Amino acid sequence: MTLLQFCGLGIVAVSAVLLLRESNRSYTTVVVISFVVLGFFLVIGRTSTAAAYLIDKVRNSSFAPYVSTVLKAVGLALLGEMTCDFCKSAGEQNLASAVEVCAKAEIILTGLPLVSKLLETAEMLL
Amino acid sequence: MKRRVIVLSVFLFVLLTVSVNASEIRTYSFDGHTDTGNDAASELFNNLPEEYRSLLPDGFENGFDLSISSAAENVSADLAEIVLPSLGCAARLIGILLIASVFYRYRDTLTSQLIRDALSFVITAASILTVFDMETGILQTASEYVKSLCNLMTALLTTVSAALAASGAAHLASVSGLGMMTLVSGLSSLFASFILPLCAACLVLAAAGSLGSVKTGTILRGIHYAVTLSLSALGLLFGAVIGAGAKLAASADTLQLQSVKFAVSSFVPFVGSALSGAFGTIGMSIACIRDAVGGAGIFLIAVLSLPALLNLALNRLAILLGKTVAEMLGCEREKTLLEEIGTVFSFVLAVVSVITVLFVFMLSVCLGMNIGEGTI
């Protein structure tokens, strides 16, 4: 799916939300959720191609051992951000904060092997 | 009387009739010198026990090519070995910064501050690890260089002291040998037990500072003062040891006092001032070495010391380049890290330069003592 199709879908979704806001307000949230989920999968699909390209390019560089961890963290960050935005648009601020904290914890947990390697390097140096 | 005149006349007649041919004048040829050396190397190799032969470099039994073109070829090959990895290091640094900046752009699309911070942490940890993987070898190189230089100085001092003692200047040998041995041992232990661990600690501090976005510039400045102070203290200690030794043995040997004066005057510029203050003494030392062993001695010193110094300087330049690129790409944490790693490498470069200059001074002092005593 190209950006043009994605933008078209966005305009349709906004039109649907505007129409539904007049007749049945509760359905607007469902439309927004559907659009966010669809958009998320589209972005993930595009990002995975970019990630595969990046992994292929850095395969022989010194950054190669760490790139998969960083990509995982980026994916988690995108997921957390989208969920958080969705919660905010649904008016659930508390839920959004909880998602934020969980996403942060998960990203830091993903980065723990890097911290461990850094500590090993520091120990070796000292 | 007549008989004597007749004998002399006959002798002169015989001498004047002897024909002299220019082709019989013997000239000295240097052509066979390297061949003789190579034959000796081959003979030495054949007489060595089998277990020691494997320890020698390959091709030792065939001798060495001692021509200037061969030496220049070897030097240029060594220079390429030093320069190319440093260029590669700079290129890899720029590559890492580019990749990190791509990830930072991803991060910038996020609106949640908590998630942004966590992602920054992971990206910075990855880039710090990559930079560390590349740069920690430099400390090892510097350490090996200083160790080999100190070993060489110790061996040289032992040989010179033995030669002086054998020539009858036992006081000079003991006093000067003691002072210089103290300096070499002090230098070696100062570098291995204080400066190198301090630099490693600075690198770790820099990494921690970048991860936590904390500026460690003040701590690094403090460490810089500590390094300068310790080097100055070592210079003072050397002066004191030599001075005390000189007073004790002055009555025994006046030449020793001259050597000591030369040694102290060589080392005094270090105390409280940078290397620039010692340029005059360096020039004197180099002139002394040139007078004693010729230009080849200076060439050998350059071959011995330049690779390590060049390697350090080029890596310092690569880091400076990386810092500039990080600034251009907006990678603030990487810029801070590279800036602080650069400061640490500047310490290492300064210390290695000081030790190299001390080595040159020591060589000139040793040569001065030996020439004075007539052992060389």
Side-chain angles (χ1 to χ4, degrees):
Chain A
M1 186 174 274
T2 61
L3 180 67
L4 199 64
Q5 288 167 317
F6 187 67
C7 291
L9 195 69
I11 291 167
V12 170
V14 169
S15 310
V17 165
L18 288 174
L19 285 173
L20 283 172
R21 194 172 283 167
E22 303 245 329
S23 57
N24 200 338
R25 200 176 173 84
S26 57
Y27 280 111
T28 54
T29 315
V30 178
V31 172
V32 170
I33 291 170
S34 310
F35 181 74
V36 166
V37 170
L38 189 67
F40 177 73
F41 281 109
L42 282 172
V43 168
I44 288 293
R46 305 290 281 181
T47 312
S48 64
T49 317
Y53 175 79
L54 196 64
I55 288 172
D56 187 51
K57 286 291 161 198
V58 299
R59 186 163 291 164
N60 294 323
S61 79
S62 40
F63 201 76
Y66 317 116
V67 76
S68 58
T69 310
V70 177
L71 280 172
K72 236 183 253 180
V74 169
L76 283 169
L78 282 176
L79 184 64
E81 174 79 7
M82 281 191 176
T83 316
C84 188
D85 283 348
F86 165 68
C87 291
K88 277 179 188 166
S89 67
E92 295 292 335
Q93 289 295 334
N94 291 337
L95 206 59
S97 301
V99 168
E100 258 184 349
V101 172
C102 284
K104 181 174 181 173
E106 191 64 29
I107 292 167
I108 288 176
L109 276 176
T110 310
L112 270 186
L114 297 181
V115 177
S116 153
K117 184 89 197 315
L118 205 58
L119 287 174
E120 271 175 34
T121 313
E123 200 179 330
M124 189 194 75
L125 272 174
L126 295 170
Chain B
M1 186 67 189
K2 274 186 182 177
R3 195 177 168 185
R4 279 185 186 175
V5 172
I6 293 165
V7 169
L8 274 173
S9 304
V10 170
F11 185 67
L12 274 172
F13 178 74
V14 171
L15 277 179
L16 289 170
T17 52
V18 172
S19 63
V20 179
N21 193 340
S23 65
E24 287 177 15
I25 295 171
R26 296 187 68 181
T27 53
Y28 193 80
S29 169
F30 291 89
D31 294 343
H33 271 204
T34 52
D35 293 341
T36 313
N38 287 340
D39 290 345
S42 178
E43 195 182 333
L44 175 69
F45 184 81
N46 292 331
N47 289 326
L48 279 175
E50 189 62 43
E51 60 266 30
Y52 294 134
R53 287 185 197 178
S54 58
L55 300 174
L56 291 169
D58 293 336
F60 184 85
E61 67 274 21
N62 302 322
F64 302 100
D65 187 2
L66 299 174
S67 62
I68 290 175
S69 62
S70 164
E73 204 174 295
N74 286 335
V75 168
S76 58
D78 284 348
L79 280 177
E81 262 181 39
I82 295 160
V83 172
L84 291 179
S86 302
L87 285 176
C89 175
R92 281 200 299 277
L93 257 181
I94 292 170
I96 290 162
L97 290 169
L98 279 171
I99 295 169
S101 73
V102 168
F103 286 123
Y104 281 128
R105 295 294 86 78
Y106 264 111
R107 181 206 61 182
D108 291 345
T109 59
L110 305 174
T111 50
S112 163
Q113 192 57 42
L114 281 176
I115 298 175
R116 277 167 69 109
D117 289 347
L119 191 60
S120 297
F121 177 79
V122 175
I123 298 169
T124 312
S127 44
I128 288 172
L129 268 173
T130 320
V131 171
F132 264 39
D133 284 349
M134 285 194 304
E135 301 295 346
T136 46
I138 301 298
L139 288 185
Q140 189 67 28
T141 310
S143 165
E144 279 170 12
Y145 171 70
V146 170
K147 198 176 165 188
S148 62
L149 214 57
C150 286
N151 284 343
L152 185 64
M153 285 195 269
T154 310
L156 192 75
L157 284 171
T158 314
T159 313
V160 168
S161 298
L164 283 173
S167 67
H171 285 91
L172 177 59
S174 61
V175 173
S176 299
L178 174 73
M180 289 193 192
M181 288 277 196
T182 308
L183 177 70
V184 172
S185 134
L187 265 180
S188 184
S189 49
L190 180 78
F191 191 78
S193 328
F194 180 63
I195 293 173
L196 208 61
L198 207 62
C199 289
C202 286
L203 283 181
V204 175
L205 258 178
S210 304
L211 261 184
S213 294
V214 180
K215 294 258 179 188
T216 52
T218 317
I219 301 171
L220 284 175
R221 268 196 297 279
I223 289 170
H224 178 246
Y225 289 137
V227 170
T228 314
L229 195 70
S230 55
L231 280 175
S232 306
L234 193 77
L236 273 173
L237 176 74
F238 178 72
V241 168
I242 289 281
K247 277 189 178 177
L248 283 174
S251 56
D253 201 344
T254 51
L255 185 70
Q256 173 197 357
L257 199 62
Q258 288 174 11
S259 311
V260 166
K261 274 181 183 170
F262 179 69
V264 173
S265 67
S266 299
F267 284 104
V268 162
F270 276 110
V271 185
S273 66
L275 274 177
S276 58
F279 276 150
T281 322
I282 296 169
M284 275 169 60
S285 303
I286 287 174
C288 178
I289 292 166
R290 193 193 57 214
D291 291 345
V293 291
I298 295 162
F299 177 72
L300 281 176
I301 290 169
V303 167
L304 193 73
S305 54
L306 271 184
L309 289 174
L310 206 61
N311 191 12
L312 278 169
L314 285 174
N315 271 286
R316 175 77 187 84
L317 270 179
I319 287 188
L320 191 69
L321 184 69
K323 190 198 114 185
T324 313
V325 172
E327 200 169 359
M328 281 161 60
L329 293 172
C331 306
E332 280 303 314
R333 292 183 180 204
E334 280 73 12
K335 185 198 140 198
T336 313
L337 174 77
L338 289 171
E339 199 173 342
E340 287 173 6
I341 288 181
T343 313
V344 173
F345 280 10
S346 296
F347 296 159
V348 178
L349 186 62
V351 172
V352 168
S353 307
V354 166
I355 290 173
T356 308
V357 169
L358 285 179
F359 172 64
V360 175
F361 286 166
M362 192 163 290
L363 268 184
S364 63
V365 171
C366 287
L367 285 170
M369 286 190 310
N370 280 328
I371 290 166
E373 279 295 305
T375 52
I376 290 179

